[in-house]
Amino acid sequence: MTYALVAGVLFGLYFSLVGIGLNLVFGVMRIVNLAHGDILMLGAFIALGVVGIAGIDPLFAVPLAFVVFVLAGVLLYWVLVPRLQGSANPEMLSIILFFGLSQVIEAVTTIFAGTSERSIQSRLLGTVFTTIKVKWFGGKAGGAGPIQIFGQGFPAPWVIAAITSLIAIALVYLYLYHTRLGTLTRAVMSRRDEALATGIDVDRVSAAAFGIGLGIAAVAGVFAPFMFGSVTPAFGADATVTSFAIVVLGSLGNPLGTALGGVVYGLCYMLVQTYLSSWADLLPYVLLIVILLLRPSGLLGRRVRVA
Amino acid sequence: MHNASKHLLFILAPLVVVFALLPGVYQNHLLLFNFVIFLILAQGVNIIYGFTGYLPFGYVGFFGAGAYGFAIMVMHLHTPAPFAVLVGGGVAILLGLLLTPLLRLSGAYFAIANLAASLAVLHFVANPALEGITKGPYGVSLTGTFNPTHAYYAAVVVMALTVGAVVYLKNSPFGLALQAVREDAVSASMAGVNIIKMRVIAWLASALVAGLAGGIYAWYVSVFYPDNVFSGEFSIFAIVFALFGGVATITGPIVGVLILYGIYNLIGFTTPQYFQLIYGLLIMGLVLFLPAGLVSLATRRGWHVP
């Protein structure tokens, strides 16, 4: 029981990281990024590349993935979004547009990497910490063993992913509430047209949010091989639905809401998997529908969105 | 001549005649059957998305429910196939009724909830715990009713009914009211349109045709797994075909299916990933440059497209 609860929180924090980028993109632009899961998948492939080519700790893939995808996101924004926003029904068309993008990403990855499952040895993650420990405090080198929490051992990658997620969520919070660009972002989130009327450069703010959203998704992807065991180019689609469940569970445009949503999701996931494993697959979908119907604005939301 | 009879005579009748006669001329019957199935599904998407604006991202849920409704009737009650197809349609309507609360959601929320619903139905049907009823993930085999010729003609009949329904929507006050609701629900309700009833009828009609198509598909292939009949490709293909041609028209989805599914069969089978790439780019280009579909090329010039 303790094991399921702690594992649920660890996974939950990671799930928050998975969902938060999607939340940012939808909150700011009212765009449904169906390619979100595929960005995760690409992040995982960056981690694979870092391990495969340089042979160093996959943690180094985190800043790399972030920078690469912030740039890619800004570029992609300028190519796709202004044209989309000019159409009759951008919210609907964005679903189809980004579905097309996810197909392109999946196809290109398949062409270059094949369809086989890829994984990274989990002891490689975090070797940078053990190396530092050995250098400074002596002791013997080796992979990080299980980490003890409440007398139960958990794989080190889970803990490292959860800590990274916490840091990332804190940074997103700081960005949104303590920087000028963040304040502008929140203004665009609450009323796009009024923000435009007050002279905010909506496109610049949105491009930044889009880039950061994609960057965070890629960072989450770096940990995907450890959290889910392995990744394939087709992994993106499932990840997108899971992310949506988490984002809707929390509330739109509120990073703290996504953090809560992720933890609730992680706990439910672990508990169902422990006690009713054959029904665990159903959980994200049923949870998503129930939450949408009962509280369309999410657990922490205020504005209700009903047709 | 009345508009509706013109549409029936010049669009529906040739379509039915062509697809009824083609099996005698062209040998790849499976391909023809798939064309008919996608014509049904694309027109079903047209009914709900084109006329009400709800994007059914989990449309395949109805299709799969119809297929499993058919399978359960045949496996456990040994009913004749045509009756089981009707039951498949009934199961889809029941699922549609179960999902009517989703219509309260708007825009992307509806699309995502619908996608989640179809995946929930898939995992429900494929659950090993229900092996006694649905055979779980191991798939069903219905060799007793296998009769591709009859199934093909049944599919043509359902296609005729579906296209007929779209002709009706295009030419009736009911269809006009639906489009009014799509454009501005509040104004439409002020003008005396019963929004909820309208939407639910369109929703159930589009569920019914997908369920019938699913039942006929099960009849035709006779051996399938949950992943086959709940494959997200059905939803996506149907939506993209309908959009490519142009929704809220009779001809748009037909043109979309004939062109895109034709391309798919030319290049799709040998190199699936290159096809996926081209397909993705095509979808993106479509949304960015031609959001109202192929028919908008004609309507922009002022031509009327039914």
Side-chain angles (χ1 to χ4, degrees):
Chain A
M1 186 71 191
T2 343
Y3 182 84
L5 287 179
V6 177
V9 172
L10 291 177
F11 259 84
L13 285 171
Y14 174 69
F15 280 136
S16 319
L17 185 68
V18 170
I20 205 163
L22 188 68
N23 194 350
L24 205 57
V25 171
F26 187 80
V28 176
M29 275 151 280
R30 298 277 145 204
I31 278 178
V32 181
N33 182 7
L34 271 191
H36 183 77
D38 297 276
I39 305 293
L40 246 91
M41 184 266 294
L42 289 179
F45 273 87
I46 288 191
L48 286 165
V50 164
V51 172
I53 296 166
I56 47 174
D57 190 327
L59 266 183
F60 288 110
V62 169
L64 178 68
F66 186 74
V67 172
V68 168
F69 277 92
V70 167
L71 295 178
V74 172
L75 195 71
L76 208 58
Y77 177 88
W78 286 109
V79 175
L80 297 181
V81 181
R83 217 188 153 91
L84 182 71
Q85 300 281 20
S87 66
N89 191 352
E91 196 174 312
M92 284 300 189
L93 287 177
S94 74
I95 297 183
I96 299 157
L97 175 69
F98 281 89
F99 171 76
L101 181 64
S102 93
Q103 293 295 298
V104 171
I105 295 176
E106 204 180 308
V108 171
T109 321
T110 310
I111 290 167
F112 285 108
T115 50
S116 58
E117 295 199 349
R118 307 293 186 94
S119 58
I120 306 176
Q121 282 183 312
S122 68
R123 59 188 179 79
L124 282 175
L125 186 71
T127 42
V128 64
F129 295 130
T130 42
T131 321
I132 291 173
K133 207 176 91 186
V134 170
K135 275 233 173 96
W136 288 1
F137 304 106
K140 66 177 171 58
I147 290 175
Q148 301 288 324
I149 301 172
F150 293 124
Q152 313 254 6
F154 295 94
W158 293 13
V159 180
I160 295 173
I163 292 170
T164 316
S165 311
L166 267 183
I167 296 170
I169 293 162
L171 288 176
V172 171
Y173 180 78
L174 283 178
Y175 168 73
L176 282 179
Y177 289 87
H178 292 279
T179 65
R180 195 179 136 68
L181 200 55
T183 314
L184 297 181
T185 309
R186 284 186 293 133
V188 176
M189 242 185 234
S190 61
R191 276 293 157 85
R192 189 187 172 83
D193 40 355
E194 282 178 19
L196 199 62
T198 45
I200 296 174
D201 187 348
V202 172
D203 272 329
R204 198 171 62 96
V205 171
S206 304
F210 196 73
I212 292 173
L214 258 55
I216 296 172
V219 170
V222 169
F223 295 102
F226 306 104
M227 304 304 276
F228 303 114
S230 63
V231 286
T232 64
F235 153 83
D238 293 337
T240 307
V241 179
T242 312
S243 317
F244 266 105
I246 294 157
V247 168
V248 173
L249 247 163
S251 59
L252 287 165
N254 183 345
L256 296 179
T258 305
L260 180 73
V263 172
V264 170
Y265 181 85
L267 284 173
C268 290
Y269 183 76
M270 277 296 158
L271 289 175
V272 175
Q273 199 153 55
T274 314
Y275 296 105
L276 272 172
S277 62
S278 76
W279 298 96
D281 289 343
L282 263 175
L283 178 82
Y285 313 116
V286 174
L287 205 59
L288 179 61
I289 295 169
V290 170
I291 293 281
L292 271 178
L293 288 177
L294 296 182
R295 294 217 52 174
S297 56
L299 291 178
L300 286 182
R302 274 158 297 163
R303 278 193 304 161
V304 180
R305 229 189 120 91
V306 176
Chain B
M1 194 158 44
H2 203 264
N3 251 342
S5 21
K6 238 193 266 179
H7 293 159
L8 287 177
L9 192 64
F10 293 117
I11 301 171
L12 179 58
L15 194 68
V16 171
V17 169
V18 165
F19 274 100
L21 294 182
L22 265 179
V25 190
Y26 185 68
Q27 289 310 308
N28 192 343
H29 291 185
L30 177 64
L31 183 65
L32 290 176
F33 178 75
N34 284 338
F35 263 105
V36 177
I37 288 290
F38 276 115
L39 279 170
I40 299 173
L41 291 179
Q43 291 290 14
V45 166
N46 191 15
I47 293 175
I48 184 71
Y49 179 60
F51 288 87
T52 70
Y54 285 101
L55 185 63
F57 227 59
Y59 195 52
V60 72
F62 298 126
F63 184 80
Y68 267 89
F70 177 89
I72 287 168
M73 288 310 280
V74 170
M75 275 190 305
H76 297 294
L77 301 173
H78 307 288
T79 57
F83 178 73
V85 168
L86 293 180
V87 172
V91 171
I93 286 193
L94 282 181
L95 180 64
L97 278 174
L98 193 69
L99 296 180
T100 41
L102 294 187
L103 294 175
R104 279 166 39 199
L105 304 165
S106 69
Y109 289 78
F110 173 81
I112 300 302
N114 188 214
L115 175 64
S118 79
L119 290 168
V121 177
L122 162 63
H123 286 291
F124 182 79
V125 168
N127 198 312
L130 293 179
E131 201 194 330
I133 305 169
T134 63
K135 302 255 189 242
Y138 313 112
V140 293
S141 169
L142 311 165
T143 42
T145 55
F146 181 65
N147 189 338
T149 319
H150 288 182
Y152 178 79
Y153 286 108
V156 173
V157 169
V158 172
M159 179 189 73
L161 290 176
T162 313
V163 177
V166 177
V167 170
Y168 169 73
L169 284 179
K170 195 70 190 160
N171 293 294
S172 66
F174 178 72
L176 204 59
L178 271 180
Q179 294 183 68
V181 173
R182 180 193 66 196
E183 295 304 323
D184 190 337
V186 177
S187 308
S189 86
M190 288 299 159
V193 176
N194 186 344
I195 306 181
I196 296 173
K197 195 177 122 197
M198 294 277 170
R199 282 177 176 165
V200 170
I201 291 176
W203 173 238
L204 293 182
S206 99
L208 173 67
V209 297
L212 291 173
I216 294 171
Y217 185 82
W219 187 8
Y220 191 96
V221 298
S222 79
V223 177
F224 57 89
Y225 298 90
D227 286 340
N228 300 140
V229 290
F230 283 101
S231 157
E233 283 197 346
F234 282 110
S235 321
I236 301 298
F237 275 25
I239 290 170
V240 172
F241 293 159
L243 274 173
F244 184 77
V247 288
T249 61
I250 306 165
T251 43
I254 300 174
V255 173
V257 171
L258 294 182
I259 295 181
L260 279 189
Y261 197 60
I263 298 178
Y264 174 78
N265 285 297
L266 285 178
I267 57 173
F269 283 123
T270 45
T271 49
Q273 62 272 43
Y274 287 96
F275 171 72
Q276 199 180 24
L277 177 63
I278 294 168
Y279 212 64
L281 290 173
L282 197 66
I283 294 172
M284 291 173 72
L286 170 71
V287 173
L288 290 178
F289 301 105
L290 213 61
L294 273 186
V295 293
S296 67
L297 288 178
T299 46
R300 266 188 221 161
R301 289 186 174 75
W303 301 342
H304 176 73
V305 179

